[in-house]
Amino acid sequence: MRLLDAILLSLSVALFIIGVHQTMIGSETITEGVANAYVFYMLSLLLLFWYRIRRRNQQQEKRQQENKQKNKKKRRSK
């Protein structure tokens, strides 16, 4: 895991926890609490999606490099 990935995941979790906290004690009703914490939830999801996209792209790049190496070995053995 790279540094940026760790930062994205950590910020996502932290913002979600802040959102839950704001929901619970932010106002008199849960509905108002969720409305007040909406920004935290959305930023948390945004960062989580960004993290997942980065991870998927890294895994695809790794697979492509492995496939290139396998193809080179096959060509050499022929």
Side-chain angles (χ1 to χ4, degrees):
M1 180 182 293
R2 295 183 179 165
L3 179 62
L4 183 58
D5 293 336
I7 291 171
L8 288 174
L9 187 59
S10 299
L11 280 175
S12 177
V13 171
L15 286 172
F16 183 78
I17 292 170
I18 292 170
V20 170
H21 181 264
Q22 291 294 320
T23 299
M24 299 304 244
I25 65 165
S27 61
E28 294 179 10
T29 63
I30 291 179
T31 306
E32 289 175 4
V34 170
N36 291 338
Y38 182 78
V39 173
F40 294 109
Y41 290 128
M42 290 301 110
L43 287 175
S44 174
L45 282 174
L46 176 72
L47 293 174
L48 185 62
F49 289 153
W50 188 13
Y51 168 76
R52 295 284 297 165
I53 288 169
R54 284 181 50 84
R55 289 287 298 211
R56 187 180 320 130
N57 288 342
Q58 289 171 1
Q59 289 173 349
Q60 286 177 351
E61 288 174 4
K62 184 178 177 181
R63 285 186 197 130
Q64 287 176 352
Q65 289 176 354
E66 289 173 356
N67 287 338
K68 285 180 182 179
Q69 290 175 354
K70 287 180 184 178
N71 288 338
K72 285 181 182 179
K73 287 180 182 179
K74 285 181 183 178
R75 289 179 187 168
R76 289 181 188 168
S77 65
K78 288 182 181 181

